[in-house]
Amino acid sequence: MYQTIYLLLGELSTSERIDEIKSLLSQHGAMALNIVEPNAEIMQTGEILFLSYLTDAELKGWLNKAKLLDQPPSVAILPNEHCPAAMKSMGISKDLSQALEDALDLDRRQLVDVLICNEEPVFQHVTAGDVFGLNNAVEATMWDKIKAFWHNLHEIHFDSYSLITAKDQHIQTAATGILVLEHNSRSQGANHVNENLSSQDGKLNAFVLAPKSLINYLYFMFVVFFVRRFSMDDLSRIVGVIQTSKLTLTSSGREFEYRIDGYSYQANQLDLMIYPKAVCFHLGRGMGNIEVSEVEDEDLKNQKDKVRIKALPQGDLTSALLTKPVPFFPRASDEDFKDLFVTLRTGALFSESFIVLMVLSTLLGATGLFMSSGPVIIGAMILAPLMAPIISLSMGVVRYELNMMQTALKTLFWGTSVALLVGTIYAWLMPLSTVTPEIAARLNPNLLDLMVAVISGIAGAYASARAEVAKSLAGVAIAVALIPPLAVTGIGLGWGDWAIVLGSFLLFLTNLVGITLAAAFTFIVLGYSPVKRAKKGISYTLILMVLISIPLLMSFYELVEKNNLMRQLHQVEWVSAKQNDVEVDVTDVESRFGGDVRVWVDITSREDLSAETLRVIQRQMQQKIGRDIELEITRRILLMPDQPPS
């Protein structure tokens, strides 16, 4: 228990409040209370507790004096409507009785760092520019959040900032705003940051907001307004993070506006620094359980700065964001360009290993097709090396890099030729000529197959551009299935069946063009090429897709027509069949452009049916769908066991 308790009173204190505090202290068994003003001389003798009933401004002035003392003073904050920033920062309860209980609880006493900005203590945060809600988890209705979302969408603006850390690291970038805080009080809703930012690590935490495109910004705004808490990893491509003991911040060498705990100021420079373990605060229950830091002062001095600025614009991108409207799609950094281009140029090369893999994957795929074995065919898809040159071709298209396009097309040409040759020879040597279900499934491509190719192209480009998801390329290869249609084409050539050749090769071309175009658009979205530069290559690829889409559209129409006809025919009330105890099952339907509908039916009866009964069934079908029908019937006679003689 403290030997002496001082109550720090400010100009807004009332006698009624003082009496209430005294009464509650006596209930808790506290010693007599000494009332002092914040500017009174502080005498440190024995165990002293300072109860603060000051405004935010008065408490900051008192702390400026207190931090000069040899021994950090023990301070407890009492709830005060004029001290919201300090209350939120220390998790102080709004209930006076609870706050006093926490103030007298020695287990809630903790040495904490103090953040100073231009010689003023900071309770919550310092902001320069606009951080668009990052600093405050505002309680608001969904409608208010939506309105704020669209309002801020029109306010995005970049300024030039220069930052120097304690280790003298210089950072020059463009940002919409910067948020600096010492620790986060998550339970009090002081900010959105869900990181464990300690109040005893001797570091300030600067979050530099730099959404480099409207896409990035929309994602950021969605997270801020509609996600209660988030990790910095969620915004690692939009927000830079600097953890250091000292930070100097300037903006284009001019005076700029900044805010400390919501109050506005003007300055040419911000000098931010941490006074480690400067004050012994009694933390409120809003801060949860108190953990005592075991980090020594010497260890704090030796800690390295943590600087994660990969998300921040650099070089030409900085100038572009300062002088031009924010682009809709992001621009990839020079480092991203370099790494991805090296990978894609290597992937586009024709090599011995490429040929070996093409031969093996084609043989494996053709074997799986003859066996009608899905797992074997999946193995061929994974083994196939075609995805790499197709993604390289997409980058060549979007950047209109003729050398990369030529290299990728050459590799694809020779890879396709090898697959067709191997498939043809394999079909000649194989003493089988049956169209298995797996072969038949690749003879009538439609718009759904194009959709698979488009989605796979997006996934392939994204996985190539993001090293952390590159392992998903095997899944992309399985989804798009490049080798099986080529193997079917080779089988069709071996059999001399041009219907198989044309249908399966159309599926391969669908996959090739769909992946190329979708991957190219994805690279634009990821910032690897401006739309103006990509226009020419995209136009040629788009023309190819339109041409390929014509037969796909016809095939898709037939699929939809077949589905509708099957549904209608299954709804037919078989009047004649009921009278003759007959079961009618429609097994398949074929509908051609400009032709009749052909229907396959299984009919089961206890005795043979007359031609007239079958005609009645046909007329019922025609009446239901309103079109002429060619009926192909499979008839089954159901023989019941003979009855024993009576």
Side-chain angles (χ1 to χ4, degrees):
M1 183 63 68
Y2 290 103
Q3 297 176 1
T4 308
I5 298 178
Y6 286 106
L7 177 61
L8 300 173
L9 294 179
E11 295 180 357
L12 300 178
S13 304
T14 63
S15 58
E16 292 83 0
R17 196 62 164 175
I18 295 172
D19 291 340
E20 184 180 2
I21 294 171
K22 288 181 178 180
S23 174
L24 289 171
L25 279 173
S26 64
Q27 293 177 21
H28 287 288
M31 297 179 60
L33 187 65
N34 300 285
I35 300 175
V36 296
E37 295 182 355
N39 58 358
E41 192 69 26
I42 299 173
M43 300 296 293
Q44 283 191 288
T45 57
E47 288 289 327
I48 299 174
L49 172 65
F50 293 93
L51 292 178
S52 169
Y53 196 72
L54 305 174
T55 65
D56 279 331
E58 290 170 338
L59 182 55
K60 288 180 180 182
W62 185 86
L63 286 176
N64 263 334
K65 293 176 59 180
K67 72 176 188 288
L68 299 176
L69 298 175
D70 295 332
Q71 180 181 344
S74 296
V75 183
I77 299 171
L78 299 182
N80 178 350
E81 63 179 355
H82 302 290
C83 190
M87 287 177 61
K88 281 188 176 182
S89 177
M90 300 303 163
I92 305 301
S93 172
K94 294 181 180 179
D95 182 88
L96 179 59
S97 179
Q98 291 181 354
L100 278 171
E101 184 178 334
D102 294 340
L104 299 175
D105 185 353
L106 296 181
D107 291 336
R108 304 203 67 83
R109 183 171 61 174
Q110 187 177 67
L111 278 169
V112 300
D113 303 335
V114 175
L115 172 62
I116 302 295
C117 176
N118 287 5
E119 300 184 353
E120 178 177 336
V122 179
F123 291 132
Q124 287 188 275
H125 41 66
V126 179
T127 57
D130 202 332
V131 293
F132 299 106
L134 179 64
N135 57 312
N136 190 23
V138 179
E139 295 290 347
T141 64
M142 182 61 69
W143 176 242
D144 289 336
K145 290 181 179 181
I146 293 173
K147 288 194 296 184
F149 182 97
W150 290 112
H151 171 74
N152 287 342
L153 184 61
H154 301 288
E155 299 295 322
I156 185 169
H157 169 74
F158 278 81
D159 284 313
S160 175
Y161 290 100
S162 177
L163 303 101
I164 305 175
T165 69
K167 303 298 183 182
D168 205 32
Q169 181 174 352
H170 291 246
I171 302 165
Q172 186 70 42
T173 189
T176 63
I178 299 174
L179 167 69
V180 183
L181 48 89
E182 191 276 325
H183 70 279
N184 60 333
S185 48
R186 289 175 286 177
S187 60
Q188 293 294 316
N191 54 70
H192 280 286
V193 181
N194 199 34
E195 307 292 317
N196 183 23
L197 306 179
S198 172
S199 60
Q200 296 180 300
D201 61 357
K203 302 288 185 184
L204 60 83
N205 305 275
F207 302 99
V208 186
L209 176 60
K212 291 172 282 191
S213 70
L214 291 180
I215 290 290
N216 287 154
Y217 179 68
L218 287 171
Y219 173 69
F220 167 78
M221 293 295 292
F222 175 82
V223 171
V224 165
F225 282 99
F226 303 109
V227 178
R228 178 65 179 173
R229 294 287 174 200
F230 54 83
S231 165
M232 279 298 108
D233 289 338
D234 299 330
L235 299 174
S236 60
R237 295 185 176 275
I238 304 172
V239 178
V241 182
I242 302 171
Q243 293 176 299
T244 182
S245 60
K246 182 179 179 181
L247 187 68
T248 302
L249 188 153
T250 57
S251 178
S252 304
R254 59 177 174 79
E255 189 174 69
F256 61 96
E257 182 182 6
Y258 68 98
R259 290 169 295 282
I260 299 179
D261 298 333
Y263 292 94
S264 296
Y265 303 88
Q266 295 279 340
N268 293 312
Q269 175 176 303
L270 295 188
D271 293 311
L272 300 124
M273 66 178 299
I274 288 290
Y275 279 82
K277 299 182 180 181
V279 180
C280 189
F281 270 110
H282 278 253
L283 303 181
R285 59 192 61 194
M287 295 295 285
N289 295 326
I290 306 302
E291 296 181 4
V292 179
S293 173
E294 298 181 357
V295 181
E296 300 294 335
D297 293 345
E298 191 63 31
D299 295 332
L300 291 178
K301 295 178 182 179
N302 296 329
Q303 283 184 351
K304 295 181 179 180
D305 291 346
K306 296 180 181 178
V307 180
R308 293 181 288 172
I309 57 174
K310 187 176 180 181
L312 301 183
Q314 305 288 334
D316 294 341
L317 182 55
T318 299
S319 302
L321 290 172
L322 292 172
T323 57
K324 299 177 182 178
V326 180
F328 188 78
F329 296 123
R331 283 181 56 185
S333 66
D334 294 340
E335 184 179 348
D336 290 336
F337 266 119
K338 181 181 178 180
D339 293 342
L340 183 58
F341 268 55
V342 169
T343 301
L344 293 183
R345 287 188 186 279
T346 303
L349 295 175
F350 182 74
S351 63
E352 179 183 346
S353 59
F354 180 85
I355 290 296
V356 171
L357 288 176
M358 283 300 303
V359 171
L360 294 176
S361 61
T362 305
L363 289 173
L364 188 60
T367 303
L369 291 166
F370 280 119
M371 295 171 58
S372 199
S373 171
V376 176
I377 295 173
I378 290 174
M381 297 175 193
I382 298 175
L383 196 59
L386 284 174
M387 197 66 184
I390 294 178
I391 297 298
S392 299
L393 175 62
S394 300
M395 180 60 81
V397 167
V398 81
R399 299 283 301 176
Y400 206 66
E401 293 276 352
L402 294 179
N403 185 46
M404 182 177 281
M405 282 193 289
Q406 289 171 357
T407 303
L409 286 172
K410 175 185 174 182
T411 302
L412 287 171
F413 172 78
W414 286 112
T416 302
S417 301
V418 167
L420 293 179
L421 179 61
V422 171
T424 302
I425 296 174
Y426 195 74
W428 282 342
L429 299 176
M430 180 65 65
L432 297 173
S433 58
T434 303
V435 178
T436 65
E438 289 289 352
I439 294 176
R442 290 164 175 84
L443 301 183
N444 295 291
N446 55 57
L447 288 180
L448 295 179
D449 295 290
L450 180 59
M451 182 64 68
V452 171
V454 168
I455 296 172
S456 299
I458 295 172
Y462 185 79
S464 299
R466 300 286 186 259
E468 63 271 20
V469 294
K471 58 186 177 182
S472 299
L473 278 174
V476 175
I478 294 173
V480 76
L482 290 161
I483 277 295
L486 268 183
V488 173
T489 304
I491 292 171
L493 290 172
W495 289 349
D497 190 328
W498 290 103
I500 291 178
V501 171
L502 294 176
S504 58
F505 198 69
L506 176 60
L507 176 58
F508 173 73
L509 289 178
T510 298
N511 290 337
L512 176 61
V513 176
I515 292 173
T516 302
L517 188 60
F521 275 115
T522 303
F523 283 133
I524 293 176
V525 172
L526 294 176
Y528 286 93
S529 175
V531 176
K532 184 177 180 180
R533 181 169 184 173
K535 190 181 299 182
K536 193 171 184 179
I538 290 288
S539 299
Y540 292 148
T541 312
L542 193 58
I543 291 172
L544 285 175
M545 177 173 279
V546 171
L547 294 175
I548 289 175
S549 296
I550 295 173
L552 298 180
L553 181 61
M554 296 171 64
S555 182
F556 183 70
Y557 175 81
E558 289 181 359
L559 180 65
V560 173
E561 183 74 3
K562 175 180 178 178
N563 181 73
N564 291 335
L565 291 173
M566 288 287 286
R567 179 174 49 82
Q568 290 177 315
L569 291 174
H570 279 110
Q571 295 173 352
V572 173
E573 292 285 341
W574 307 106
V575 177
S576 177
K578 285 183 178 179
Q579 294 172 351
N580 293 278
D581 194 18
V582 175
E583 293 183 5
V584 180
D585 182 27
V586 179
T587 59
D588 200 6
V589 175
E590 184 179 279
S591 175
R592 300 184 181 89
F593 285 104
D596 293 337
V597 177
R598 191 168 191 177
V599 181
W600 284 262
V601 178
D602 282 349
I603 297 181
T604 305
S605 62
R606 295 190 178 185
E607 57 186 48
D608 200 6
L609 301 179
S610 66
E612 181 56 31
T613 301
L614 298 178
R615 286 292 183 185
V616 170
I617 293 174
Q618 183 184 33
R619 285 194 292 270
Q620 286 177 294
M621 291 183 178
Q622 292 177 158
Q623 184 178 2
K624 182 66 177 179
I625 67 174
R627 293 172 63 179
D628 291 338
I629 289 177
E630 294 179 5
L631 197 60
E632 184 170 313
I633 299 173
T634 301
R635 296 164 63 179
R636 295 184 176 89
I637 305 297
L638 178 63
L639 295 179
M640 302 300 291
D642 289 338
Q643 296 294 325
S646 56

